[in-house]
């Protein structure tokens, strides 16, 4: 490996809490260059490259890392280009076609203003820049230090080119330093730190760390972007930024104890962004204590009408209800005073009742003939559905009516119940739909974007291939507004968006999917 180090002033580790604006400025500049130089702007650049990822050169003591990989697996490259090219704005604003070479024009457009406008892509960047970059934190002994790693193809040219980036970002002082290896520029808050990080990476790498391997695997491996948080990362970050427990909790001893306990129980986590199956997905995973009484919302959502346009559904965790029952928190008491004033409500009992075991808010698939005809809530099929004790929930509603003089029909709203379900809807027809046995779970579109629906603890789903989208297109044509039409044209590419969270033992998962037509 090359051991060249930038000829910037050597410095001792900066005092705790010192401003890291130099490093941040350089990171922002370099990341902008990386995205322009590699990110689908010219297909040939997107397909070149390889070499080690940041985790293979940074040390095992790296406790947090966010990476951008513009050269992931071959399938990812193809999917990314196919997916992005479906959006009209992508074509319009980048001018990308399979045989185009507009990299220099886009680079010039991006940097024609600002402090880096003197940079020349062909001369200063293209000869040495790679496709991968990472930004995070490393423990050097007991002290954390920021790190930025940028893949390079030519160490000698990178030394000069990166130094120009440092200069244009006005970061060449004792708060910033960097060194080069055969494959990467390693930067930190001082030259000595950069050298120490590079040296530590030669002995053991983050890629060899068992926690990093576990959480990266849990989110499906490397993607276009990945993030990793080690088991001690939250505690380290809260201490190193100066926002200790006292500041975060406002000096509340009980809250401090709870937060400190949460820091200790955190087992690490990761996130990964990928292009797959004609769409995009963002996966997250993290460690948490296993809960034998985990609540799920699968049947609740699965029984909704098949033509549901959008829904957000949550299962109510038994542990949360237990905490409400035993809570003596000042916040809960003050909230109770506010909510119960003039309503006759009793907390936490009535709150526990109306939460039920699960609840959702949804929009039906029947759109009005014209969006401009919407004048009040009764023109929209919107509804709140609660799975719980019908009698008790209706009694709470009646209590509020008696004490406030309010009535659901005044909103307007329809309150109905059946078979352990209570629906509060803007229309009686949609209330009946919510109380029926629908088949949203059997919808192919729903299945494509909501993973592990049966065991999900929360679900979000939105269909964009329905009457609502048709009405939105009609309005865009009628208004003849270019910006509005561009937004609608981009939305028209989407088929659905879905997200869900679920648990697998002591691991919590989350997955957001975007499906394109």
């Amino acid at each position: 490996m090359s051991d060249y180090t930038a000829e910037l002033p050597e410095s001792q580790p900066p005092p705790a809490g010192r401003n890291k604006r130099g490093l941040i400025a350089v990171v922002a500049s370099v990341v902008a260059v990386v995205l322009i130089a590699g990110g689908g702007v010219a297909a040939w650049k997107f397909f070149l490259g390889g070499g080690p990822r940041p985790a293979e050169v940074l040390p095992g003591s790296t406790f947090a890392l966010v990476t951008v990989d513009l050269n992931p697996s071959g399938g990812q490259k193809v999917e990314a280009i196919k997916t992005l090219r479906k959006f009209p704005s992508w074509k319009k604003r980048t001018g990308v076609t399979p045989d185009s070479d507009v990299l220099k024009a886009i680079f010039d457009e991006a940097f024609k203003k600002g402090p880096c406008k003197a940079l020349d892509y062909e001369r200063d960047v293209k000869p040495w820049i790679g496709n991968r970059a990472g930004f995070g934190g490393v423990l050097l002994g007991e002290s954390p230090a920021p790190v930025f790693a940028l893949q390079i193809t030519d160490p000698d040219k990178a030394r000069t080119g990166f130094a120009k980036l440092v200069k244009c970002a006005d970061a060449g002082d004792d708060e910033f330093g960097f060194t080069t290896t055969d494959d990467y520029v390693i930067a930190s808050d001082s030259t000595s730190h950069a050298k120490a990080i590079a040296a530590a990476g030669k002995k053991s790498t983050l890629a060899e760390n068992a926690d990093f391997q576990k959480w990266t695997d849990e989110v499906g491996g490397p993607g276009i972007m990945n993030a990793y948080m080690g088991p001690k990362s939250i505690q380290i970050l809260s201490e190193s930024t100066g926002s200790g427990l006292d500041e975060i909790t406002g000096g509340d001893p009980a809250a401090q104890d709870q937060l400190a306990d949460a820091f200790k129980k955190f087992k690490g986590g990761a996130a990964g962004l990928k292009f797959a199956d004609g769409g995009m997905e963002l996966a997250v995973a993290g460690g948490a204590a296993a809960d034998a009484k985990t609540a799920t919302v699968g049947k609740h959502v699965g029984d909704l009408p098949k033509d549901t346009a959008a829904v957000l559904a949550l299962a109510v965790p038994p542990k949360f209800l237990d905490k409400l029952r035993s809570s003596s928190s000042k916040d809960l008491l003050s909230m109770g005073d506010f909510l119960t004033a003039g309503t006759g409500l009793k907390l936490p009992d009535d709150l526990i009742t109306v939460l039920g075991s699960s609840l959702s808010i949804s929009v039906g698939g029947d759109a009005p003939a014209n969006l401009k005809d919407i004048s009040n809530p009764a023109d929209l099929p919107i509804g709140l559905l609660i799975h719980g004790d019908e009698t008790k929930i209706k009694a709470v509603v009646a209590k509020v009516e008696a004490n406030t003089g309010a009535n659901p029909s005044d909103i307007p709203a329809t309150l109905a119940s059946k078979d352990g379900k209570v629906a509060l809807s803007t229309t009686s027809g949609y209330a009946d739909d919510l109380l029926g046995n629908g088949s949203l779970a059997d919808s192919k579109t729903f299945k494509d974007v909501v993973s592990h629906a049966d065991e999900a603890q929360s679900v979000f789903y939105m269909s964009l291939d329905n009457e609502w989208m048709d009405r939105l297109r009609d309005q865009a044509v009628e208004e003849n507004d270019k910006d509005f039409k561009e937004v609608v044209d981009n939305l028209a590419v989407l088929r659905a968006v879905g997200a869900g969270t679920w648990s697998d033992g002591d691991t919590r998962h989350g997955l957001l999917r975007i499906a394109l037509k």
Side-chain angles (χ1 to χ4, degrees), residues 5 9-14 140 177-178 188-197:
T5 301
E10 290 279 354
S11 64
Q12 298 302 315
L140 294 176
F178 73 92
S188 188
D189 54 1
S190 70
T191 303
S192 59
H193 278 180
K195 293 170 66 176
I197 292 169

Side-chain angles (χ1 to χ4, degrees), residues 187-422:
S188 188
D189 54 1
S190 70
T191 303
S192 59
H193 278 180
K195 293 170 66 176
I197 292 169
K202 295 178 183 179
K203 298 176 181 178
S204 68
T205 68
L206 179 61
E208 300 170 306
N209 182 291
D211 288 314
F212 177 81
Q213 293 174 355
K214 169 183 170 60
W215 295 117
T216 300
D217 288 344
E218 290 287 356
V219 296
I224 298 291
M225 293 188 69
N226 281 83
Y228 164 71
M229 298 287 284
K232 296 182 179 180
S233 56
I234 296 179
Q235 188 169 354
I236 292 171
L237 290 170
S238 68
E239 293 174 353
S240 64
T241 57
S243 54
L245 297 182
D246 187 65
E247 291 185 39
I248 297 174
T249 62
D252 184 342
Q256 287 183 15
D257 291 341
Q258 291 179 356
L259 196 58
D261 185 55
F263 286 168
K264 291 177 183 178
K265 290 181 178 179
F266 181 65
K267 298 179 180 180
L273 176 66
K274 289 187 174 184
F275 290 81
D277 302 323
M280 294 169 276
E281 65 177 43
L282 173 65
V284 296
D291 186 357
K293 297 191 296 181
T294 298
T296 61
V297 75
K299 181 169 176 54
H300 182 129
V301 175
D303 288 345
L304 290 175
K306 191 172 184 177
D307 66 348
T308 296
V311 59
L312 173 63
L314 304 170
V316 181
K319 279 188 176 180
F320 174 73
L321 296 179
D322 291 341
K323 287 183 178 180
L324 281 180
R325 290 188 183 96
S326 61
S327 178
S328 59
S329 164
K330 292 179 180 179
D331 290 338
L332 180 59
L333 292 175
S334 61
M335 180 180 71
D337 291 340
F338 173 75
L339 292 178
T340 58
T343 66
L345 289 174
K346 179 183 178 182
L347 294 184
D349 296 343
D350 288 340
L351 176 59
I352 292 171
T353 295
V354 297
L355 288 176
S357 61
S358 59
L359 64 161
S360 66
I361 184 166
S362 58
V363 179
D366 293 330
N370 191 315
L371 296 183
K372 290 186 177 180
D373 293 338
I374 300 172
S375 59
N376 61 66
D379 296 324
L380 297 170
I382 300 175
L384 172 69
L385 179 65
I386 303 170
H387 280 213
D389 189 311
E390 299 174 50
T391 303
K392 289 184 178 180
I393 294 173
K394 292 174 77 172
V396 171
V397 175
K399 185 190 298 186
V400 174
E401 290 179 19
N403 284 275
T404 63
N407 189 294
S409 61
D410 297 333
I411 300 177
T414 296
L415 180 68
S417 65
K418 179 183 177 183
D419 300 333
K421 303 176 185 178
V422 178

Side-chain angles (χ1 to χ4, degrees), residues 19 35 119 167 183 427 432 485:
N19 183 8
L35 291 175
L119 284 176
K167 183 177 181 180
D183 301 298
T427 70
D432 292 339
K485 186 177 185 302

